[in-house]
Amino acid sequence: MKFSLVFIALLNLSKKTQAFGLSSSAIFPIHHSRYKSTLKSSATSNDVSNVQNNIEPRSRAVQIQYSPTSLKHLEAVELKADYSRPWTMAKTIAISGAFVLGALFFSLGSYASTEILKLDTDQPGILTGGVGIGLGWYLFGGGQVMEDEKKITDKNGGYDAKLVADRPGRLYTVLEDLNKINEQFEVIRKDHSQNALDKALKYIHLVHGEDYAMLLKAKCDETDRPVRFNPFYARTLIDQHSYDAAVNAFSDWMDSIDSALKSKPCFALSRPPGHHACRQKGMGGCLFNNAAISAFYALDQQGVKNVAILDIDAHHGNGIAHCVQEDSRIRYCSIHEGKDKDGQNAFIEQRIPEDNPRTQDTNDVGPLKNLKNINLKSGTSWEGYQQALVTEAIPFLKENNPDLLIVSAGFDALTSDWSSGLMLEPCDYRSIGEELKKSFGNKVAFGLEGGYSFQNHALSEAIIAFCGAWDSE
């Protein structure tokens, strides 16, 4: 299974016109000195000037807020002295052997399929390619590499820092780029008061339960380095800062709600993300479900009777669907990359029905029919995305006359983002914002979910473009 997922990921990367290869944003960290003295910036002046050239400064129509604790979550994965698996010559040889045999077996399988068996499919080639990768890995010493690394991962909870997607570098890069164009947005650093954090916890407990929140706090308190929160979810890591970061992140989302209800859009530049977190289970790198909790918080505010949530992350927001499925005042729509031909998405973690009952199937509308899934094919660009947004998502969300729109703003549908096969460009996110402003006005709250193409500044450009749709005329 490991090798098949690797093979699927490689095929997905091959479709990207701006793929990073070995310098993928999800693999190698970027460090920024402006926001933390122990980290050094690797963004060049040319990189920053490119961002400035692509964005036309306008008025400060949208506030962007972040908490310093968001920069602390999993900070060890950005440091040289992390606890990840080493990159050795033995691993290089094993991976090279896997690629060589994988390519050879793929070619042989494809030839046999099309030339000998006369089949009109490349599935035999993909199958034999996967077998070749696995065989090459073991023939060239992969088994010993795994044994050597197990001695390390047994000590750190079984993670590889080089493969952690949600890392502090995402926010450092965005904040640095925003600082360069500060004429356009008001960027607010928020140190939340204890009263604000207590208020945030009240709503976190309402959705997730106090037991789950206390379990997360206990696990964070007992570690001094990144570890798996749950052994079944390898990509969901926590460290000693994660609980505080997660509570502060939701507090940022609450401020975004308060601002939006005054017709002043506000973007919560927060992490960890939330849309995969179910009621009693953190997964997909998510701990508390910020968007879902925000919806319940908004419904407690004067004049708010109905709320809509739009999830534009490239992956299905299973956690949001789970948390809001039993409240008819909330409508949730997710626009995401659909399943591959085998009925799976290689970047979504395993689904355990009792923890995570909602699926990304189009017919999964929830017990109250307040959920909608829109599955897009890999390779979908703005034309196809716009059609789904305008003809399906927005009409569904407007059916219950929402007093507020909450946007789970993931930016991993970018062409340059390794984690999906969707093909949006940064400027397309301004078009998304313009469609939302046209339909919902200024009573829109946003918060960051996914989006990992940060080293080439595509994430920054997309966020700036999206928020720029609310620029005053």
Side-chain angles (χ1 to χ4, degrees), residues 306-422:
N306 295 301
V307 173
I309 304 176
L310 176 64
D311 190 341
I312 60 172
D313 191 278
H315 306 102
H316 177 235
N318 58 296
I320 299 178
H322 184 206
C323 292
V324 307
Q325 63 181 350
E326 296 173 355
D327 197 316
S328 61
R329 299 173 298 171
I330 304 172
R331 286 210 160 199
Y332 170 65
C333 180
S334 176
I335 306 179
H336 49 260
E337 182 179 19
K339 298 176 182 178
D340 61 28
K341 60 189 175 183
D342 296 319
Q344 302 293 327
N345 187 316
F347 300 102
I348 296 295
E349 297 184 281
Q350 68 194 80
R351 192 174 73 85
I352 302 175
E354 55 269 27
D355 295 333
N356 174 21
R358 301 268 64 93
T359 72
Q360 66 186 65
D361 294 337
T362 55
N363 61 356
D364 187 350
V365 297
L368 302 180
K369 295 182 169 51
N370 62 332
L371 312 177
K372 185 175 183 63
N373 293 324
I374 301 176
N375 291 283
L376 302 178
K377 293 182 179 179
S378 295
T380 296
S381 59
W382 170 240
E383 182 179 1
Y385 197 101
Q386 181 186 33
Q387 182 177 5
L389 177 67
V390 173
T391 66
E392 296 185 68
I394 291 176
F396 172 78
L397 294 173
K398 292 188 71 175
E399 283 179 2
N400 70 338
N401 298 314
D403 300 295
L404 175 73
L405 174 68
I406 298 172
V407 182
S408 278
F411 297 88
D412 39 11
L414 286 166
T415 297
S416 57
D417 197 295
W418 64 274
S419 70
S420 87
L422 301 181

Side-chain angles (χ1 to χ4, degrees), residues 175-192:
L175 288 168
E176 188 167 272
D177 291 341
L178 285 169
N179 182 63
K180 298 298 181 181
I181 56 163
N182 57 17
E183 301 90 350
Q184 186 175 4
F185 300 111
E186 181 182 4
V187 180
I188 301 172
R189 168 181 165 144
K190 188 68 174 286
D191 293 293
H192 295 287

Side-chain angles (χ1 to χ4, degrees), residues 163-178:
L163 300 178
V164 176
D166 176 33
R167 52 201 319 139
R170 298 171 66 216
L171 262 60
Y172 287 132
T173 307
V174 173
L175 288 168
E176 188 167 272
D177 291 341
L178 285 169

Side-chain angles (χ1 to χ4, degrees), residues 43-169:
T44 67
S45 58
N46 288 336
D47 290 332
V48 174
S49 66
N50 287 339
V51 175
Q52 291 177 280
N53 292 335
N54 288 334
I55 304 297
E56 180 182 352
R58 302 194 180 193
S59 63
R60 296 185 174 191
V62 176
Q63 291 181 343
I64 297 178
Q65 177 174 309
Y66 77 99
S67 297
T69 53
S70 290
L71 304 172
K72 299 285 287 181
H73 170 58
L74 301 183
E75 66 176 356
V77 302
E78 296 283 29
L79 306 176
K80 290 182 179 180
D82 65 17
Y83 308 95
S84 65
R85 304 164 183 168
W87 192 269
T88 62
M89 181 58 67
K91 180 187 283 190
T92 302
I93 293 172
I95 290 177
S96 299
F99 281 135
V100 169
L101 275 190
L104 177 61
F105 276 48
F106 175 78
S107 299
L108 291 175
S110 297
Y111 178 81
S113 174
T114 57
E115 301 298 327
I116 299 176
L117 300 177
K118 304 299 183 182
L119 300 176
D120 186 23
T121 177
D122 62 353
Q123 286 187 350
I126 294 176
L127 178 62
T128 56
V131 171
I133 288 177
L135 184 61
W137 171 260
Y138 279 101
L139 287 179
F140 286 86
Q144 186 59 49
V145 171
M146 293 174 69
E147 285 296 318
D148 293 342
E149 291 186 348
K150 189 174 185 299
K151 300 173 184 177
I152 299 172
T153 58
D154 281 349
K155 296 179 181 180
N156 65 33
Y159 83 99
D160 187 335
K162 296 182 292 299
L163 300 178
V164 176
D166 176 33
R167 52 201 319 139

